[in-house]
Amino acid sequence: MDRIPSVDLRDFLSGDESRKQKFIKEIGHAYETIGFVALKGHFLDNELVDNLYEQIKRFFELPVETKQKYEIPGIGGQRGYVSFGKESAKGKKEGDLKEFWHFGQYVENNPALEEEYPNNVDVAELPEFNEVGKQTYKMLEKTAKFVLRSLALHLGLDETYFDQYIFNGNSILRPIHYPPIHEEPKGAVRAAAHGDINLITLLMGAHGKGLQVQNHEGEWIDAIAEPDELMINVGDMLSRHSNNKLKSTIHRVVNPPKELWGTSRYSIPFFMHPVSEMKLDVLENCIDDKNPKQFEDITAGDFLNERLRELGLIK
């Protein structure tokens, strides 16, 4: 496959069974072959998107010492600010050429999870930043819920199978700033080749060249969304749970050509995570004689901690 397929969530939500089945078939085929789709018909409106970009640009333009006030020790970067070059891809020594922020779950009616998850961090200098981040988080979470419902049906499960695991799930909204490049990077890129940890990732800001996906022939292809589309990919948790029926695809963000080094890039992924106790054991209906069980049993929480250690975010 040499391009990212496009699907429209309004087909799934239309109430027309034939359109719903068309969406399930299209997204299922895309995730079995390339692991990415561009999605129209999501729940973000243009005003919210514009406000979010304005707020994150204002945050990343703050002085370094101001931003560093919001870098919280001891939580593996799960909330607040993570400074430039702190994160690296699995197996890479060089830090990625980026800084970012994390918004986490807004827990409803669950004191135990409020204890488990770190608190969200409010930016005193930008009160709108906190509210716009929360609104965006909720709309992406709602979009992700319906994408997972379509995938549950594709996998032969009850439509609402994932709902119980993603409600109050450990999901993360990550506004990223790739600053201008001032000198030849020594082996580092804006985001080195990696697979995502979570169930699915919804990406805002894939509208220009930079994001590349490795297809199953090993070729790198550009993943460029239309202005009204989100790029959505399968993460390692869902790939594992489906016995690699749904593919978690390696992707990267490459450095721009030299004439564009002086420009910033912003992208905003939403990493859909389940609650920590969800079992990622391979689904029985994804195992057969041709596809024996490929992965050991593990919970989502244990898998996340294992991967955060590999990324250098927790010791």
Side-chain angles (χ1 to χ4, degrees), residues 255-268:
N255 297 332
K258 204 160 188 174
E259 61 269 21
L260 295 177
W261 276 12
T263 60
S264 284
R265 176 186 172 95
Y266 297 91
S267 72
I268 310 170

Side-chain angles (χ1 to χ4, degrees), residues 138-201:
K138 292 293 188 184
M139 291 301 100
L140 288 169
E141 188 175 47
K142 183 177 179 182
T143 301
K145 177 175 76 172
F146 288 105
V147 170
L148 285 172
R149 284 185 177 184
S150 74
L151 295 177
L153 292 169
H154 177 70
L155 293 171
L157 305 168
D158 289 340
E159 181 171 340
T160 56
Y161 168 81
F162 288 104
D163 286 19
Q164 62 185 313
Y165 300 120
I166 61 173
F167 177 69
N168 282 335
N170 195 15
S171 300
I172 292 285
L173 177 63
R174 174 189 280 192
I176 303 171
H177 174 222
Y178 303 103
I181 298 169
H182 299 296
E183 58 185 40
E184 187 74 47
K186 296 178 174 61
V189 293
R190 284 184 157 174
H194 65 284
D196 291 341
I197 301 170
N198 41 291
L199 291 171
I200 57 174
T201 301

Side-chain angles (χ1 to χ4, degrees), residues 209-246:
K209 280 198 169 187
L211 177 65
Q212 294 186 331
V213 175
Q214 191 173 44
N215 68 19
H216 297 294
E217 287 74 52
E219 303 160 332
W220 288 101
I221 61 173
D222 289 324
I224 302 174
E226 296 295 324
D228 62 342
E229 292 178 330
L230 299 171
M231 200 64 76
I232 306 186
N233 63 281
V234 175
D236 292 347
M237 287 184 183
L238 185 57
S239 177
R240 197 181 175 105
H241 199 38
S242 67
N243 206 30
N244 207 31
K245 182 180 175 75
L246 305 179

